[in-house]
Amino acid sequence: MAWIFVALGLVTLLLAGDFLVRGAVNLALRLGISALLVSLTVLVVLLRYFFGMGSIAVQESVTYVHSTIFMLGLAVALQRGGHVRVDIFYRNFSAQRKAWVNFLGGLFFLLPFCGLILFSSWDYVLASWAIKETSAESGGIAAVYLLKSLMILMPITLALQGLSQILSSLLRIKGITPKAALTTEGDA
């Protein structure tokens, strides 16, 4: 009987993780962050080659936006099954075996990787915040510490999505199939 409460708790965590990642995706799409990246790149080219001008801040902003897309997009890629997977054997596995692979892979590879990144970047990011690190280039963006903060946000969002995937896999292993709308993999 207690397993029902455990299952309900796992489903609640699964919903929270999926909600967070889906919310981040919707926010990024609404903000048009990819369009911003393209626009800034076009602006850099136009300024440099047609007007003979350059702007360090605009060039650095391209790097900032690209980094943001990449670092925060990792959790989204995991959620949508867009991550790299050696699919030689996996594609032929049953749903139960895929759940085991996802469960063990997340538990023994993904979460330790996220912990390592978080642990190794923590002091680095805090030091940057402590001095309010700015660009080394004159005229650059005076907020390098914000960019470095992505090194903390990336493993947190990736670990949250990983936990969601691990919990979803655990439910599948136990024979409890989450609704199709809550699927965290591309192969449900």
Side-chain angles (χ1 to χ4, degrees), residues 3 40 50 52 57 82 84 92 136 139 142-143 150 154 180:
W3 68 270
L40 287 170
F50 290 104
V84 175
N92 296 324
L150 292 173
M154 183 275 295

Short mmCIF file of all heavy atoms in Angstrom, two decimals, residues 3 40 50 52 57 82 84 92 136 139 142-143 150 154 180:
data_model
loop_
_atom_site.label_atom_id
_atom_site.label_comp_id
_atom_site.label_asym_id
_atom_site.label_seq_id
_atom_site.Cartn_x
_atom_site.Cartn_y
_atom_site.Cartn_z
N TRP A 3 3.58 1.74 -1.50
CA TRP A 3 4.14 2.00 -2.83
C TRP A 3 3.27 2.98 -3.61
O TRP A 3 3.75 3.68 -4.49
CB TRP A 3 4.36 0.71 -3.60
CG TRP A 3 3.09 0.01 -3.99
CD1 TRP A 3 2.42 -0.92 -3.28
CD2 TRP A 3 2.34 0.21 -5.20
NE1 TRP A 3 1.29 -1.32 -3.95
CE2 TRP A 3 1.22 -0.63 -5.15
CE3 TRP A 3 2.51 1.02 -6.31
CZ2 TRP A 3 0.28 -0.68 -6.15
CZ3 TRP A 3 1.58 0.97 -7.32
CH2 TRP A 3 0.48 0.12 -7.23
N LEU A 40 21.82 39.52 -34.26
CA LEU A 40 23.08 40.09 -33.79
C LEU A 40 24.25 39.73 -34.71
O LEU A 40 25.11 40.57 -34.98
CB LEU A 40 23.38 39.61 -32.36
CG LEU A 40 22.53 40.21 -31.26
CD1 LEU A 40 22.76 39.48 -29.95
CD2 LEU A 40 22.82 41.70 -31.11
N PHE A 50 30.10 46.59 -44.21
CA PHE A 50 29.43 47.61 -45.01
C PHE A 50 29.63 49.01 -44.46
O PHE A 50 29.57 49.98 -45.21
CB PHE A 50 27.93 47.29 -45.14
CG PHE A 50 27.66 46.08 -45.99
CD1 PHE A 50 27.32 44.87 -45.41
CD2 PHE A 50 27.78 46.15 -47.37
CE1 PHE A 50 27.10 43.75 -46.19
CE2 PHE A 50 27.55 45.03 -48.16
CZ PHE A 50 27.20 43.83 -47.57
N GLY A 52 32.23 49.65 -42.04
CA GLY A 52 33.59 49.78 -41.55
C GLY A 52 33.67 50.04 -40.04
O GLY A 52 34.65 50.62 -39.58
N ALA A 57 31.05 45.06 -27.92
CA ALA A 57 29.88 44.65 -27.12
C ALA A 57 28.90 43.82 -27.95
O ALA A 57 28.36 42.82 -27.46
CB ALA A 57 29.17 45.88 -26.55
N GLY A 82 16.79 14.35 -27.91
CA GLY A 82 17.70 14.86 -28.93
C GLY A 82 19.16 14.73 -28.55
O GLY A 82 20.03 15.21 -29.27
N VAL A 84 22.77 12.70 -27.76
CA VAL A 84 23.49 11.66 -28.49
C VAL A 84 23.35 10.34 -27.75
O VAL A 84 23.53 10.26 -26.54
CB VAL A 84 24.99 12.04 -28.62
CG1 VAL A 84 25.76 10.92 -29.28
CG2 VAL A 84 25.14 13.33 -29.39
N ASN A 92 16.37 -1.63 -30.60
CA ASN A 92 15.71 -2.93 -30.64
C ASN A 92 15.26 -3.42 -29.26
O ASN A 92 14.66 -4.49 -29.16
CB ASN A 92 16.64 -3.98 -31.26
CG ASN A 92 16.95 -3.66 -32.71
OD1 ASN A 92 16.11 -3.15 -33.44
ND2 ASN A 92 18.18 -3.93 -33.12
N ALA A 136 37.46 41.59 -20.74
CA ALA A 136 38.87 42.00 -20.84
C ALA A 136 39.07 43.04 -21.94
O ALA A 136 40.05 43.76 -21.94
CB ALA A 136 39.74 40.78 -21.11
N GLY A 139 35.26 48.35 -24.04
CA GLY A 139 34.02 48.45 -24.79
C GLY A 139 33.22 47.15 -24.80
O GLY A 139 32.19 47.06 -25.46
N ALA A 142 30.08 44.40 -19.63
CA ALA A 142 30.58 44.47 -18.25
C ALA A 142 29.83 43.49 -17.34
O ALA A 142 29.50 43.83 -16.22
CB ALA A 142 30.44 45.90 -17.73
N ALA A 143 29.57 42.31 -17.84
CA ALA A 143 28.82 41.35 -17.03
C ALA A 143 29.24 39.92 -17.35
O ALA A 143 28.42 39.04 -17.54
CB ALA A 143 27.33 41.52 -17.26
N LEU A 150 25.93 30.66 -16.06
CA LEU A 150 25.35 29.55 -16.82
C LEU A 150 26.03 28.23 -16.47
O LEU A 150 25.44 27.16 -16.62
CB LEU A 150 25.46 29.82 -18.32
CG LEU A 150 24.61 30.94 -18.87
CD1 LEU A 150 24.94 31.20 -20.34
CD2 LEU A 150 23.14 30.64 -18.70
N MET A 154 23.37 25.34 -15.89
CA MET A 154 23.33 24.20 -16.81
C MET A 154 23.26 22.87 -16.07
O MET A 154 22.36 22.06 -16.35
CB MET A 154 24.54 24.24 -17.76
CG MET A 154 24.54 23.13 -18.80
SD MET A 154 25.24 21.53 -18.33
CE MET A 154 26.95 21.94 -18.08
N ALA A 180 1.28 9.65 -21.76
CA ALA A 180 2.14 9.93 -22.91
C ALA A 180 2.57 11.38 -22.93
O ALA A 180 3.64 11.71 -23.39
CB ALA A 180 1.40 9.57 -24.20
#
